[in-house]
Every structure is written in structure tokens, then in C-alpha cells.
């Protein structure tokens, strides 16, 4: 009981210190009611994933804004956060947008490129930097507006985790603390925690650190160079290797009647390219 109380106090303290929370209208969907998310598990090398983002944004002429802030560099060039990759693939209107100052992020002058953006892409690094810079500002509100207009938001590594409502690995001390001093993401997908680099870095058991504290959440962990494409309640694995689902149940492609998985507190399963998942029902679409 004492440990539970201490954990609750720590969680509340972290929420209080994680910056302002943007209030959004309720939706019947877990994912965006309009628009699409492309959530990449880090080390995105597959041009097909970037091309999918360009296509979802509306094609080569669609305005795309890339956000390199998570990386933590003092300055960024015009190719930061995959901007150079988008241009190489034919995107003609790509803007790199960055600040570490939330006061700047709350100005119309800074946020103006997002008014017409059809796509946004968050680069990798540490996801708490995105919270510190943009949470509760005009810029964050305009990220959501891109989706409301039917656009696309993509992100890799830190840019994947920030898309969930719960911010996995959001601690400023290091990236091994799953429930840290920043726990609130941008919430493009609700009641979900998103981890990345999962198989390459042996992180397949780490999600349980979050689910022990927040058992109501759906856990999603995405391997490198693999995307999860989300619209409304449908999530589809695209390219790459595997996405791991932590929903308290077990599913296997060959059936599970004769299998003996662990109990619901420590079970997960794998989805691969082309597999679809219903985020509302929390079950595989077969």
C-alpha cells in the first residue's frame, strides 16, 4: 500500500511538472477522427514510409513542416528532421520549424507555416524536449489542426512516442525511465503509450513498467524502420518488421487454443506488415 501511494504521488508530481495540457474536444475514436498518423519506431531508412507521408499529405506540392526539436542540437540546417529526405523524394514545399522557447512557440509569427501545412513530421531525440517547447502553445494547437483538416502527422523514435497520450520514456534524466517526469504526450492517439526501437534494443518487456502504473492504457511498441498507420480506430502495420501490442490478451497467426501464454499482466503479441488492429475494440482485425 505504501508503495502504491508513493507511486501515485510521483505520478501526480510528474504530471504537474510536465507543462500545460491542451484541451481537445472529445471524439468517438482513439486515433484522429480526421487525418492520419504515421508512427515510426526509429531509424527510418525506408523511402516507402516517407513516400507514404508525402502521398497522405496530398502529393509533391503539399506543404510539409518538419520538427527537429527533440534532437537537442543548438542549431539545425534546412535538411533537419528528414526534410532533406522529403525533398529528395520530390516534396517541393518543406519547411523546418524549431524553437526551444514555448513563448516563441505561442506566437503567430513562429507558428504561421502550420496554418497551411498538410503534413508534419517529428524527428528523433528526446521526446520531453517537444513537450517543453510546444505543449499548451499555439504551435501544439496547430499540430492538431493539421489532422482536423485531413492532413498527416508522422514521427520517428521520439517523434513516435510524442504522438501518444501517455509519454513513454519522458524522463529528463535518461531514456531508460519509462514513467518519468514528463508523462503527457500530444495525444494524437488517446489512452495509448508508444515505445520505439523495441526489438533492436531489447525493449519488449519495458512497456510493463508503464502498464503497472497505468493499466488502463493500451501499449504499442514499434520496431525500427517500421510504421504504424493510424486513422480513426484502425491501425495498420506498414513495412519493416514488427509492432508489439500490449492489450492484456494474446493473439497468434496460427491460432492460440493450444498455447499457454502468461497471464494478462505480462502478455503481448506481434503484428507484421499488413496486419490491422482495431484501437477501439482492442483486437486484431482478421
Amino acid at each position: 500500500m505504501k508503495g502504491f501511494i508513493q507511486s501515485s504521488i510521483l505520478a501526480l508530481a510528474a504530471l504537474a511538472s510536465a507543462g500545460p495540457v491542451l484541451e481537445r474536444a472529445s471524439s468517438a475514436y482513439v486515433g484522429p477522427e480526421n487525418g492520419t498518423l504515421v508512427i515510426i519506431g526509429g531509424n527510418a531508412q525506408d523511402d516507402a514510409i516517407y513516400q507514404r507521408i508525402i502521398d497522405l499529405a496530398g502529393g509533391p506540392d503539399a506543404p510539409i513542416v518538419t520538427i527537429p526539436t527533440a534532437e537537442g542540437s543548438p542549431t539545425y540546417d534546412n535538411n533537419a528532421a528528414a526534410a532533406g529526405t522529403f525533398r529528395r523524394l520530390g516534396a517541393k514545399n518543406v519547411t523546418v520549424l524549431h524553437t526551444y522557447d514555448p513563448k516563441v512557440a505561442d506566437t503567430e509569427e513562429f507558428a504561421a507555416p502550420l496554418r497551411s501545412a498538410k503534413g508534419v513530421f517529428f524527428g528523433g531525440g528526446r521526446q520531453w524536449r517537444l513537450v517543453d517547447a510546444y505543449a499548451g502553445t499555439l504551435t501544439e494547437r496547430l499540430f492538431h489542426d493539421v489532422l482536423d483538416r485531413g492532413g498527416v502527422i508522422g514521427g520517428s523514435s521520439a517523434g513516435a512516442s510524442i504522438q501518444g497520450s501517455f509519454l513513454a520514456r519522458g524522463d529528463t534524466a535518461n531514456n531508460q525511465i519509462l514513467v518519468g517526469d514528463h508523462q503527457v504526450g500530444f495525444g494524437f492517439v488517446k489512452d495509448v503509450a508508444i515505445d520505439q526501437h523495441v526489438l533492436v534494443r531489447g525493449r519488449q518487456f519495458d512497456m510493463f513498467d508503464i502498464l503497472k502504473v497505468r493499466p488502463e492504457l493500451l501499449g504499442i511498441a514499434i520496431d525500427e524502420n517500421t510504421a504504424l498507420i493510424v486513422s480513426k480506430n484502425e491501425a495498420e502495420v506498414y513495412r519493416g518488421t514488427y509492432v508489439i501490442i500490449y492489450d492484456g490478451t494474446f493473439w497468434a497467426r496460427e491460432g492460440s487454443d493450444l498455447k499457454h501464454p502468461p497471464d494478462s499482466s505480462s502478455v503481448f503479441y506481434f503484428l507484421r506488415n499488413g496486419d490491422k488492429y482495431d484501437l477501439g475494440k482492442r483486437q486484431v482485425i482478421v
Side-chain angles (χ1 to χ4, degrees), residues 33-49:
E33 186 166 357
N34 300 298
T36 308
L37 306 176
V38 179
I39 310 170
I40 310 165
N43 192 29
Q45 302 294 318
D46 189 341
D47 281 353
I49 296 175

Side-chain angles (χ1 to χ4, degrees), residues 73-122:
S73 296
T75 60
Y76 298 95
D77 64 24
N78 204 36
N79 293 318
T85 300
F86 286 119
R87 292 193 195 95
R88 177 174 58 79
L89 294 173
K92 300 174 183 177
N93 189 358
V94 182
T95 301
V96 177
L97 189 67
H98 162 71
T99 184
Y100 293 120
D101 186 345
K103 292 180 180 178
V104 173
D106 206 31
T107 65
E108 182 64 40
E109 180 180 9
F110 175 82
L114 293 166
R115 293 283 185 191
S116 59
K118 298 295 182 63
V120 173
F121 185 84
F122 295 97

Side-chain angles (χ1 to χ4, degrees), residues 31-285:
E33 186 166 357
N34 300 298
T36 308
L37 306 176
V38 179
I39 310 170
I40 310 165
N43 192 29
Q45 302 294 318
D46 189 341
D47 281 353
I49 296 175
Y50 293 105
Q51 185 62 56
R52 187 70 176 270
I53 294 171
I54 293 171
D55 294 343
L56 288 167
D61 294 321
I64 295 175
V65 174
T66 73
I67 312 291
T69 307
E71 184 180 316
S73 296
T75 60
Y76 298 95
D77 64 24
N78 204 36
N79 293 318
T85 300
F86 286 119
R87 292 193 195 95
R88 177 174 58 79
L89 294 173
K92 300 174 183 177
N93 189 358
V94 182
T95 301
V96 177
L97 189 67
H98 162 71
T99 184
Y100 293 120
D101 186 345
K103 292 180 180 178
V104 173
D106 206 31
T107 65
E108 182 64 40
E109 180 180 9
F110 175 82
L114 293 166
R115 293 283 185 191
S116 59
K118 298 295 182 63
V120 173
F121 185 84
F122 295 97
R126 297 301 311 282
Q127 42 269 40
W128 59 263
R129 294 191 181 106
L130 295 167
V131 175
D132 283 358
Y134 304 119
T137 69
L138 173 62
T139 294
E140 188 197 358
R141 186 159 69 249
L142 294 182
F143 292 152
H144 289 270
D145 285 356
V146 171
L147 291 172
D148 291 343
R149 294 194 299 270
V152 58
I153 289 182
S156 181
S157 189
S161 291
I162 194 63
Q163 298 188 48
S165 55
F166 184 92
L167 191 67
R169 300 187 191 274
D171 199 87
T172 52
N174 62 67
N175 68 357
Q176 297 304 298
I177 300 173
L178 274 292
V179 181
D181 52 23
H182 291 60
Q183 296 180 22
V184 180
F186 289 161
F188 305 139
V189 57
K190 299 180 298 184
D191 300 318
V192 169
I194 301 170
D195 201 8
Q196 10 77 10
H197 301 281
V198 58
L199 293 177
V200 172
R201 298 187 183 181
R203 292 177 168 182
Q204 60 267 32
F205 299 106
D206 292 1
M207 182 62 70
F208 294 118
D209 288 356
I210 296 173
L211 299 180
K212 287 174 185 175
V213 178
R214 297 288 303 274
E216 79 281 6
L217 295 175
L218 171 66
I220 298 175
I222 306 172
D223 198 25
E224 291 186 356
N225 206 30
T226 305
L228 189 68
I229 298 178
V230 176
S231 179
K232 295 184 171 66
N233 278 344
E234 184 173 288
E236 179 178 0
V237 182
Y238 184 65
R239 310 286 289 188
T241 57
Y242 295 98
V243 171
I244 303 180
I245 300 294
Y246 306 78
D247 62 9
T249 71
F250 183 74
W251 176 85
R253 196 172 312 278
E254 63 182 7
S256 57
D257 290 346
L258 300 179
K259 297 183 185 297
H260 304 284
D263 64 47
S264 61
S265 67
S266 55
V267 70
F268 55 82
Y269 57 89
F270 294 82
L271 301 179
R272 68 185 184 191
N273 181 42
D275 288 342
K276 295 181 179 181
Y277 184 83
D278 189 314
L279 295 166
K281 296 178 180 179
R282 294 193 176 184
Q283 64 185 36
V284 178
I285 299 172

